[in-house]
């Protein structure tokens, strides 16, 4: 199965870094968050990626064009016709297709443009800015069992602020820091889609997948939710990046499901 990654947005809410590179290339622990997402899928044996490029897509192309060299031990012999010897490498068995889907194209338009690359098969789809400890195999099994066109991972992100319960006299009954169970389920990405999903997406580059396509899938009873109760975090802001950096420094970062 192919894994489609949306990596073409402008990333305006993290403009401190996205003015230099696409948001999926912002680094956590010295590697782009896009790399972390790919490692999650790869750890479950899914190594065939289709990446939707847009804003500063050349940065992602350059990363993968040089990736083999960056992950290898190399001898350059300038006395012998500038020869190069690869001693060993630590590259993953990835197949990466990079598709220019347009600078201002929205998510629906980007997905529509890669239709020919998924070859009428079931595929994964997620955003290029969110990591999780989700079990991809269980997600896939859940999708197959549900028998719907689309399965979306539903998550409950931790609240950014403490939760107060206040009495009529304005005394605080209780305080809960960053409550999760009281938040709503939201779209966490990590979707599984059948090829029929393309019938729900128009040829309009300005179409958001999260609007009419998903709404119509839901109206037709073809959108299934897989509730993930574990770790999930997107990187919308600089604050999110710093939080992920802090977690990466821990002995067991929660989304590091690979060895």
């Amino acid at each position: 199965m192919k894994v489609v990654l949306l990596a073409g947005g402008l990333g305006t809410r993290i403009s401190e870094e996205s003015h230099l590179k696409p948001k999926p290339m912002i680094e956590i622990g010295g590697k782009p968050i896009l790399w972390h997402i790919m490692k999650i899928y790869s750890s479950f044996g899914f190594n065939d990626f289709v990446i939707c490029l847009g804003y500063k897509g050349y940065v992602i192309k350059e990363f993968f064009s040089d990736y083999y060299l960056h992950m290898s031990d190399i001898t350059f012999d300038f006395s012998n016709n500038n020869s190069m010897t690869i001693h060993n490498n630590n590259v993953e068995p990835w197949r990466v297709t990079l598709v220019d889907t347009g600078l201002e194209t929205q998510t629906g338009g980007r997905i529509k443009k890669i239709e020919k690359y998924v070859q009428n098969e079931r595929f994964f789809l997620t955003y290029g800015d969110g990591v999780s400890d989700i079990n991809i195999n269980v997600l896939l099994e859940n999708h197959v069992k549900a028998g719907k066109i689309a399965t979306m991972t539903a998550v409950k992100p931790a609240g950014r602020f403490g939760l107060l319960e206040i009495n009529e006299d304005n005394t605080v009954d209780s305080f809960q820091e960053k409550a999760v169970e009281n938040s709503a389920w939201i779209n966490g990405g990590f979707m599984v889609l059948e090829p029929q999903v393309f019938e729900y997406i128009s040829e309009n580059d300005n179409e958001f997948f999260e609007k009419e396509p998903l709404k119509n899938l839901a109206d037709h009873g073809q959108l299934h939710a897989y509730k993930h109760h574990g770790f999930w975090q997107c990187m919308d802001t600089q604050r999110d990046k710093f939080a992920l950096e802090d977690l990466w420094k821990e002995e067991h970062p929660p989304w590091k499901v690979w060895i």
Side-chain angles (χ1 to χ4, degrees), residues 174-188:
S174 67
F175 174 81
Q176 188 174 2
E177 176 65 8
K178 296 183 179 179
V180 174
E181 62 271 20
N182 292 294
S183 60
W185 291 100
I186 67 167
N187 173 13

Side-chain angles (χ1 to χ4, degrees), residues 3-10 22-25 34 38 49-58 60-61 64 96-103 105-115 117-118 123-128 198:
V3 181
V4 177
L5 302 175
L6 293 168
L10 296 176
K23 184 163 72 164
M25 293 304 293
L34 181 67
M38 294 171 71
F49 297 93
V50 178
I51 303 180
C52 302
L53 306 181
Y55 173 70
K56 294 187 181 295
Y58 65 89
I60 299 177
K61 287 182 177 179
F64 285 107
V96 184
T97 302
L98 303 169
V99 184
D100 184 358
T101 56
L103 179 61
T105 307
Q106 302 303 332
T107 50
R110 295 191 192 283
I111 297 167
K112 191 71 171 179
K113 289 178 184 292
I114 57 86
E115 180 175 2
Y117 294 103
V118 300
F123 63 100
F124 293 104
L125 171 74
T126 197
Y127 303 100
F198 292 108

Side-chain angles (χ1 to χ4, degrees), residues 4-256:
V4 177
L5 302 175
L6 293 168
L10 296 176
T12 53
R13 284 183 286 183
I14 192 168
S15 59
E16 297 91 340
E17 295 198 44
S18 64
H19 72 288
L20 296 172
K21 64 184 73 170
K23 184 163 72 164
M25 293 304 293
I26 295 174
E27 295 182 354
I28 303 297
K31 288 287 196 302
I33 193 168
L34 181 67
W35 177 89
H36 290 262
I37 298 166
M38 294 171 71
K39 290 289 284 186
I40 293 170
Y41 280 98
S42 185
S43 69
F44 291 96
F46 300 102
N47 295 297
D48 194 350
F49 297 93
V50 178
I51 303 180
C52 302
L53 306 181
Y55 173 70
K56 294 187 181 295
Y58 65 89
V59 176
I60 299 177
K61 287 182 177 179
E62 289 172 356
F63 173 79
F64 285 107
S65 69
D66 295 334
Y67 189 65
Y68 184 84
L69 294 180
H70 289 170
M71 298 297 288
S72 305
D73 293 336
I74 307 169
T75 295
F76 293 100
D77 189 349
F78 302 115
S79 67
N80 183 24
N81 296 320
N82 293 333
S83 67
M84 180 180 71
T85 303
I86 305 292
H87 299 290
N88 57 64
N89 69 77
N90 297 307
V91 294
E92 297 81 358
W94 292 345
R95 183 176 186 269
V96 184
T97 302
L98 303 169
V99 184
D100 184 358
T101 56
L103 179 61
E104 298 182 358
T105 307
Q106 302 303 332
T107 50
R110 295 191 192 283
I111 297 167
K112 191 71 171 179
K113 289 178 184 292
I114 57 86
E115 180 175 2
K116 63 182 178 182
Y117 294 103
V118 300
Q119 299 176 340
N120 201 34
E121 298 175 354
R122 177 185 296 147
F123 63 100
F124 293 104
L125 171 74
T126 197
Y127 303 100
D129 62 355
V131 290
S132 175
D133 63 355
I134 186 172
N135 186 314
I136 299 297
N137 288 335
V138 173
L139 166 65
L140 179 57
E141 291 169 5
N142 194 272
H143 169 77
V144 173
K145 183 178 179 180
K148 307 295 184 182
I149 292 176
T151 293
M152 171 194 297
T153 295
V155 297
K156 281 191 173 186
R160 292 188 181 274
F161 307 101
L163 180 68
L164 296 174
E165 289 188 9
I166 304 175
N167 288 327
E168 291 182 3
D169 62 356
N170 290 333
T171 59
V172 177
D173 240 6
S174 67
F175 174 81
Q176 188 174 2
E177 176 65 8
K178 296 183 179 179
V180 174
E181 62 271 20
N182 292 294
S183 60
W185 291 100
I186 67 167
N187 173 13
F190 293 95
M191 305 177 208
V192 188
L193 303 172
E194 299 296 326
Q196 295 94 317
V197 74
F198 292 108
E199 299 172 10
Y200 286 80
I201 307 172
S202 73
E203 298 288 346
N204 183 357
D205 283 359
N206 294 320
E207 182 170 72
F208 288 87
F209 183 58
E210 298 78 10
K211 292 186 177 178
E212 289 303 314
L214 284 181
K215 179 182 181 299
N216 290 335
L217 282 164
D219 289 345
H220 294 166
Q222 290 296 327
L223 180 59
H224 175 66
Y226 171 70
K227 292 182 178 179
H228 176 61
H229 296 274
F231 174 83
W232 176 87
Q233 178 64 56
C234 66
M235 188 184 65
D236 270 342
T237 65
Q238 194 82 335
R239 173 178 176 169
D240 295 331
K241 170 188 160 58
F242 293 151
L244 288 169
E245 283 279 12
D246 289 341
L247 288 171
W248 185 252
K249 294 172 185 176
E250 296 181 358
E251 185 176 357
H252 300 291
W255 70 91
K256 190 177 183 295

